[in-house]
């Protein structure tokens, strides 16, 4: 018997709604909605029916295969501006300067934001900053906006903890389940990269008003 377990994005979880749908067939299949946050923030609130469906499934399909090095490489590449362009070429000068000052502030504060547990695991502030914000001047504005949103003290304190999607993918591999993906990197990147620069610039500007 083969059970299928599909994953997709949901923005929030309320009232312990499991976001689990069952496709009535023999054997059953399931759709499940996840959220891109460290799994430790939500694991205790995921109802048992969802965990049981995952345990009983033989095949697990995720939004993207985050355990595949190609996926990570393609996600990194799609965030970059065209060859020869830099962020200061496409952002208004004032926003670019405020962004640069903000990143300098984050880099200065990051050592105090990190937890003893992170340091005990060999995570250093400079390494972590470069892992998140390295090459930021070559990134498209929309990806810089998402990057800035993740450079907060609460987010830094949970770095090193896999997001729910990745944790479930790792668990699926550990349990020797067959895995796959329902989307390609391009299907996620192109819509975001198609956003108007002025819209993204406005959002970045609003952050520092």
């Amino acid at each position: 018997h083969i059970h299928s377990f599909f994953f997709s994005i949901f923005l929030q979880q309320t009232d312990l709604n499991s976001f689990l749908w069952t496709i009535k067939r023999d054997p059953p299949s399931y759709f499940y909605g996840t959220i891109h946050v460290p799994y430790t923030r939500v694991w205790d609130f995921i109802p048992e029916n969802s965990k049981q469906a995952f345990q009983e499934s033989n095949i697990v399909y995720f939004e993207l295969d985050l355990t595949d090095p190609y996926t990570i490489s393609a996600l990194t590449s799609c965030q970059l501006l065209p060859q020869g362009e830099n962020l200061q070429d496409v952002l208004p000068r004032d926003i670019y300067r405020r962004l640069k000052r903000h990143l300098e502030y984050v880099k200065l504060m990051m050592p105090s934001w990190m937890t003893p547990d992170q340091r005990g695991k060999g995570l250093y502030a400079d390494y972590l900053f470069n892992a998140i914000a390295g090459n930021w001047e070559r990134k498209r504005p929309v990806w810089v906006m998402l990057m800035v949103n993740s450079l907060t003290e609460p987010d830094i304190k949970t770095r090193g903890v896999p997001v729910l999607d990745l944790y479930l993918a790792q668990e699926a591999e550990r349990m020797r389940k067959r895995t796959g993906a329902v989307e390609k990197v391009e299907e996620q990147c192109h819509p975001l990269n198609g956003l108007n620069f002025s819209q993204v610039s406005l959002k970045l500007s609003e952050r520092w008003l």
Side-chain angles (χ1 to χ4, degrees):
H1 293 285
I2 297 176
H3 296 193
S4 299
F5 201 68
F6 293 80
F7 288 78
S8 60
I9 297 178
F10 249 76
L11 296 181
Q12 63 181 359
Q13 185 171 336
T14 58
D15 299 325
L16 288 185
N17 186 328
S18 65
F19 289 124
L20 179 71
W21 289 265
T22 301
I23 301 172
K24 293 182 177 179
R25 54 187 291 274
D26 186 21
S29 293
Y30 307 97
F31 282 92
Y32 184 66
T34 61
I35 183 171
H36 295 306
V37 297
Y39 83 95
T40 49
R41 289 189 187 176
V42 296
W43 190 251
D44 290 343
F45 302 99
I46 295 176
E48 284 304 315
N49 68 332
S50 302
K51 293 177 180 177
Q52 184 177 351
F54 177 76
Q55 291 281 342
E56 294 177 356
S57 296
N58 301 115
I59 304 177
V60 188
Y61 282 90
F62 295 91
E63 179 187 358
L64 292 173
D65 185 358
L66 297 177
T67 63
D68 183 356
Y70 168 77
T71 300
I72 305 305
S73 174
L75 281 170
T76 301
S77 298
C78 87
Q79 297 178 20
L80 299 179
L81 287 160
Q83 191 67 33
E85 287 188 22
N86 290 304
L87 196 59
Q88 62 182 338
D89 301 325
V90 297
L91 278 184
R93 185 178 301 175
D94 180 53
I95 295 176
Y96 177 81
R97 281 202 295 252
R98 282 186 285 168
L99 171 64
K100 191 171 183 178
R101 282 198 302 268
H102 179 70
L103 292 177
E104 289 169 353
Y105 163 78
V106 168
K107 189 172 185 177
L108 184 68
M109 295 300 296
M110 194 170 282
S112 66
W113 290 351
M114 295 184 67
T115 66
D117 185 55
Q118 286 173 316
R119 288 190 286 270
K121 291 178 179 176
L123 275 177
Y124 295 97
D126 282 347
Y127 168 81
L128 195 55
F129 180 84
N130 288 328
I132 301 169
N135 209 24
W136 65 270
E137 295 190 76
R138 284 278 298 120
K139 291 185 177 183
R140 295 173 182 266
V142 65
W143 296 102
V144 171
M145 180 182 72
L146 294 173
M147 178 195 76
V148 167
N149 289 341
S150 72
L151 285 170
T152 64
E153 185 174 356
D155 283 311
I156 294 303
K157 287 183 182 299
T158 57
R159 281 286 169 164
V161 177
V163 295
L164 181 59
D165 305 62
L166 178 56
Y167 173 73
L168 289 170
Q170 291 170 340
E171 284 294 287
E173 283 199 341
R174 184 182 66 80
M175 299 163 75
R176 299 177 184 266
K177 299 177 185 290
R178 286 173 55 193
T179 61
V182 296
E183 289 187 15
K184 296 179 180 178
V185 170
E186 296 76 16
E187 292 173 319
Q188 289 216 342
C189 278
H190 291 169
L192 283 172
N193 288 347
L195 288 175
N196 187 290
F197 274 0
S198 62
Q199 293 173 314
V200 179
S201 295
L202 178 62
K203 286 295 182 184
L204 279 170
S205 179
E206 287 174 350
R207 183 176 178 87
W208 294 297
L209 285 177

